[in-house]
Amino acid sequence: MKSSSINLPAEKIIKREKFDESAFRQMIRTMNLKVTDQRLLIFEALHSGRAHVTAQEVFEKVHAVDGAVGFATVYRFLRSLTEYGFVTEVRMGGMSARYELTPKRHHDHLTCMSCGKICEFENHEIESLQERVAAQFGFELTSHVLELYGHCRDCTKAKLKKS
Amino acid sequence: MKSSSINLPAEKIIKREKFDESAFRQMIRTMNLKVTDQRLLIFEALHSGRAHVTAQEVFEKVHAVDGAVGFATVYRFLRSLTEYGFVTEVRMGGMSARYELTPKRHHDHLTCMSCGKICEFENHEIESLQERVAAQFGFELTSHVLELYGHCRDCTKAKLKKS
DNA sequence: AATTTATTTGATAATGATTCTCATTTATAA
DNA sequence: TTATAAATGAGAATCATTATCAAATAAATT
Ligand SMILES: [Zn+2]
Ligand SMILES: [Zn+2]
Ligand SMILES: [Zn+2]
Ligand SMILES: [Zn+2]
């Protein structure tokens, strides 16, 4: 039941626009897929609560509303959403994949390994340096993963107090 | 038998210093572990051939020399080596972990998704920008993952020819 | 509304990577 | 040598994810 290795418990809930069912219906149609209750529930789950969720977490949220939904459906739809770019898969180390509704702006992540806080940042300098590196090697860049790991201020403070 | 998703077949073999068994013996002792033939074989496997190998690949190389070695031993020792920093674990997307003898200089990776070529690069500007980002969020940076994905010149050319 | 049909679903099995268990073997210190 | 804690290997276990397939169903067509 418990996931292996590091867990990422507390993440602040990010303020988000109102859940817009008809927009989600539209996205599903764009993908040439059928609109089902399950798929709307999955969207709902992605839209509320913490921004970066695992497939299991999505499954649990969906399952709480409709106990009949199977996790295969969740995995399957998350995969489609990722392929179409509506959802972005984020992988940190050997942990299980996390998903977020693809944000308007590209960003990368800074994760606290003590408390699981995830901060999002965008840094155009880094982005263009990446392009430059790729060009130097004659590569056409298609994607990248930039994940920073460390300890946030609160956790660093807490550790100091203890010792 | 075949690994899932993308395979990384061709990687240029990187020129390396002579295999120095006594140095490896010393490293093992530094870790407070016992020197065994298996462990020396694993070091040998990491030292020859392509730079970034999976546990399975290490196992196969070791197994070719001594068919009695079990894969648990390989995984176990790779883990110890990683914990002590003698080996660096590199994870690319959802693929299985790859390992390399920790290089003298830190570097990140640029991977061709068509042919599997892996280029290593170091970019101090990016590194220090990462530090700056972490500092802005009040984080103490402990590690990071920067993996660039794309298509190398050869593969891009090959694709153009085909179409 | 009823019919049709290609999709979707959920239960379950299968997979691939990695880790764990434990009885047996072995490196090393005394 | 002998003692002993550590290491090993075979296989089971785990975890995340994907595949299979019969039954259910969205949506297009009568
Ligand atoms: Zn980025
Ligand atoms: Zn994010
Ligand atoms: Zn780096
Ligand atoms: Zn490398």
Side-chain angles (χ1 to χ4, degrees):
Chain A
M1 204 121 290
K2 270 278 131 89
S3 136
S4 66
S5 66
I6 301 121
N7 264 45
L8 298 180
E11 184 186 13
K12 211 167 285 165
I13 287 160
I14 293 178
K15 56 202 164 300
R16 241 180 299 240
E17 295 150 50
K18 211 169 24 278
F19 179 77
D20 180 353
E21 185 178 307
S22 75
F24 290 135
R25 286 177 174 278
Q26 193 44 57
M27 287 159 115
I28 297 174
R29 285 195 212 92
T30 303
M31 297 190 272
N32 296 309
L33 298 177
K34 292 179 176 174
V35 176
T36 65
D37 291 350
Q38 292 89 328
R39 285 171 174 164
L40 290 172
L41 279 173
I42 290 168
F43 261 122
E44 210 171 326
L46 287 168
H47 183 266
S48 65
R50 70 177 289 167
H52 306 88
V53 283
T54 62
Q56 279 301 323
E57 285 163 358
V58 173
F59 168 68
E60 280 159 27
K61 290 175 86 167
V62 168
H63 199 258
V65 179
D66 178 353
V69 180
F71 62 86
T73 304
V74 173
Y75 272 100
R76 238 179 333 228
F77 191 45
L78 284 176
R79 190 139 56 104
S80 305
L81 286 167
T82 302
E83 279 162 7
Y84 276 84
F86 288 125
V87 158
T88 298
E89 193 187 72
V90 182
R91 281 182 176 276
M92 321 209 189
M95 292 177 272
S96 41
R98 288 179 178 272
Y99 301 87
E100 60 177 333
L101 286 170
T102 301
K104 305 252 183 323
R105 298 166 155 285
H106 166 76
H107 64 251
D108 299 298
H109 299 102
L110 171 57
T111 305
C112 176
M113 298 313 278
S114 305
C115 73
K117 190 182 301 163
I118 298 176
C119 299
E120 302 186 334
F121 67 90
E122 46 173 330
N123 185 300
H124 295 291
E125 288 184 79
I126 293 179
E127 301 288 326
S128 56
L129 283 167
Q130 290 175 6
E131 287 292 347
R132 191 183 305 171
V133 167
Q136 278 164 4
F137 283 88
F139 273 59
E140 261 178 54
L141 206 54
T142 54
S143 66
H144 69 263
V145 173
L146 175 56
E147 302 287 341
L148 307 184
Y149 303 99
H151 300 283
C152 70
R153 207 182 327 253
D154 293 348
C155 291
T156 305
K157 246 187 259 169
K159 204 174 287 175
L160 279 176
K161 214 175 271 181
K162 238 190 254 172
S163 67
Chain B
M1 201 122 291
K2 269 279 132 91
S3 135
S4 68
S5 65
I6 301 120
N7 263 44
L8 299 180
E11 186 187 13
K12 213 167 284 165
I13 286 159
I14 293 179
K15 55 202 167 301
R16 240 180 298 241
E17 295 151 50
K18 209 165 33 276
F19 179 77
D20 181 352
E21 184 177 308
S22 75
F24 290 135
R25 287 178 175 277
Q26 192 45 56
M27 285 159 115
I28 298 174
R29 285 197 211 92
T30 304
M31 296 189 273
N32 295 311
L33 299 177
K34 292 177 178 176
V35 176
T36 66
D37 292 351
Q38 292 87 328
R39 283 171 176 166
L40 289 173
L41 279 174
I42 290 167
F43 261 123
E44 211 171 324
L46 287 168
H47 183 266
S48 64
R50 70 178 289 168
H52 305 90
V53 283
T54 63
Q56 279 301 324
E57 286 164 357
V58 173
F59 169 68
E60 279 158 28
K61 291 175 84 165
V62 168
H63 199 257
V65 179
D66 178 355
V69 179
F71 61 86
T73 305
V74 173
Y75 273 101
R76 240 179 330 228
F77 191 43
L78 283 175
R79 190 138 57 104
S80 305
L81 286 167
T82 301
E83 279 162 6
Y84 276 85
F86 288 125
V87 159
T88 299
E89 193 186 70
V90 182
R91 282 183 175 275
M92 322 210 189
M95 292 176 273
S96 42
R98 287 178 179 273
Y99 300 87
E100 61 178 334
L101 287 169
T102 301
K104 308 251 182 325
R105 297 167 156 285
H106 166 76
H107 64 252
D108 298 299
H109 299 103
L110 171 57
T111 304
C112 175
M113 298 313 276
S114 307
C115 73
K117 193 183 298 164
I118 298 175
C119 298
E120 303 186 334
F121 67 90
E122 46 174 328
N123 187 299
H124 295 292
E125 288 184 78
I126 293 180
E127 301 289 326
S128 57
L129 284 167
Q130 290 174 7
E131 286 293 347
R132 193 184 305 170
V133 167
Q136 278 163 4
F137 283 88
F139 272 60
E140 260 178 55
L141 206 54
T142 55
S143 66
H144 70 264
V145 173
L146 173 57
E147 302 288 340
L148 306 184
Y149 303 100
H151 299 286
C152 70
R153 202 177 338 246
D154 293 348
C155 291
T156 305
K157 248 187 261 171
K159 206 174 286 177
L160 280 177
K161 216 176 273 181
K162 240 191 254 172
S163 69

